[in-house]
Amino acid sequence: EDFLKLLAKHCFSNIKFNFSQPNSNPTNDIVQALQPQFMTSIFKNKTEAFTKLLGITEGKANFFYKDNLGIATAYGWNPTKNSKEFNVDVAHKIGMSNSQIKSIEQISNNSKVQSVPQSLKKVVLTDRQIQKSAEIMLSFYESELLDVLKIKSQENNKDYSKALKAYHSLPNNQQVVMVHMAFKVGKKNLLKYNQFFNGLFNYMDKPTAKNLERVTANINYSFKTRNG
């Protein structure tokens, strides 16, 4: 089942009027209520939507473990599948020790690693560190997605500035599904998704339920969870 439909099933809801709350904005509530259901999100922001999706698809572990692709932790951060530069940046930003960072460097982009290094076995990440790692991945892979969006805009004679504005006007849960796709398939493979981007341009030009279906029909990739 494609992830845009999955997220729609779990996370889209109707926006209801509630003028009784002291902090409510009646004008905004009306605007939201008039939006079609597929153009609304129950999440407060993009970060919340992204971590919710990662929790469903990646799981949430506060320790390093061996998965089917390498050594992973938290919301799917897999140092053995990422560059040393990216991993060190993540490790520094979430506050890992120097010795732990050196261990991360050694297993970076290394498919030959078959077990968790001893120096990482006792590492237990805090909730703050896990959350921070997710925020870093969101920022990095959204940047990768938008790089490809720019390339595809040029290839399809589209105005990138308009496409970028249209992307940011989409509900946050729809944006993060695409970010997650970039996270799973990588920039190089994402460049091959021509039909997906053709559908996306049509949807952003005219956000209808029918055009949305054309987008979701071309979100195709698979992965294994920790429990298979």
Side-chain angles (χ1 to χ4, degrees):
E1 184 175 27
D2 65 74
F3 289 105
L4 206 50
K5 289 181 180 177
L6 175 67
L7 207 60
K9 179 186 294 182
H10 288 284
C11 307
F12 282 27
S13 66
N14 289 313
I15 303 299
K16 299 180 179 179
F17 292 102
N18 187 355
F19 298 142
S20 62
Q21 296 180 0
N23 296 324
S24 68
N25 183 331
T27 301
N28 185 60
D29 286 343
I30 292 173
V31 171
Q32 289 291 330
L34 292 176
Q35 290 279 6
Q37 185 175 1
F38 65 84
M39 285 297 288
T40 64
S41 172
I42 65 171
F43 300 111
K44 296 178 182 178
N45 52 54
K46 199 179 302 183
T47 300
E48 182 181 80
F50 188 63
T51 52
K52 177 66 175 180
L53 179 55
L54 288 181
I56 294 171
T57 60
E58 305 292 336
K60 182 179 180 181
N62 64 348
F63 55 91
F64 287 90
Y65 59 88
K66 176 74 168 63
D67 71 1
N68 62 304
L69 294 178
I71 309 303
T73 189
Y75 281 129
W77 174 32
N78 192 321
T80 51
K81 292 299 177 183
N82 288 300
S83 70
K84 181 172 71 174
E85 292 74 19
F86 176 81
N87 289 330
V88 170
D89 184 54
V90 174
H92 274 299
K93 287 179 177 177
I94 68 174
M96 296 183 74
S97 69
N98 289 333
S99 62
Q100 292 167 355
I101 292 174
K102 287 182 179 179
S103 295
I104 292 293
E105 289 181 332
Q106 292 172 359
I107 66 173
S108 293
N109 195 24
N110 187 349
S111 59
K112 295 181 180 180
V113 179
Q114 297 299 318
S115 62
V116 179
Q118 192 65 35
S119 58
L120 296 180
K121 285 184 177 180
K122 295 183 180 181
V123 173
V124 178
L125 301 177
T126 65
D127 285 343
R128 187 197 67 80
Q129 288 176 308
I130 293 174
Q131 178 65 22
K132 184 64 177 178
S133 73
E135 292 172 4
I136 295 169
M137 287 192 290
L138 170 59
S139 176
F140 179 82
Y141 288 105
E142 183 170 46
S143 177
E144 296 246 296
L145 170 66
L146 296 180
D147 283 347
V148 177
L149 180 64
K150 185 174 184 179
I151 292 171
K152 293 301 177 183
S153 295
Q154 294 170 345
E155 291 178 355
N156 289 275
N157 296 316
K158 297 288 185 179
D159 185 329
Y160 174 64
S161 62
K162 290 183 179 179
L164 183 62
K165 183 177 180 181
Y167 165 82
H168 285 299
S169 70
L170 294 175
N172 54 43
N173 50 352
Q174 293 184 20
Q175 292 180 47
V176 302
V177 167
M178 292 185 282
V179 173
H180 186 264
M181 181 168 69
F183 167 46
K184 297 307 295 184
V185 307
K187 184 176 180 179
K188 183 178 179 179
N189 288 320
L190 194 59
L191 285 164
K192 302 175 183 178
Y193 280 56
N194 294 321
Q195 289 185 327
F196 165 77
F197 281 99
N198 289 337
L200 179 60
F201 287 129
N202 288 332
Y203 177 55
M204 292 193 299
D205 287 340
K206 190 176 182 180
T208 65
K210 186 175 181 179
N211 284 341
L212 177 59
E213 286 294 325
R214 291 172 179 169
V215 177
T216 62
N218 290 288
I219 298 182
N220 298 302
Y221 60 97
S222 62
F223 63 95
K224 291 183 179 180
T225 58
R226 288 186 64 200
N227 61 6

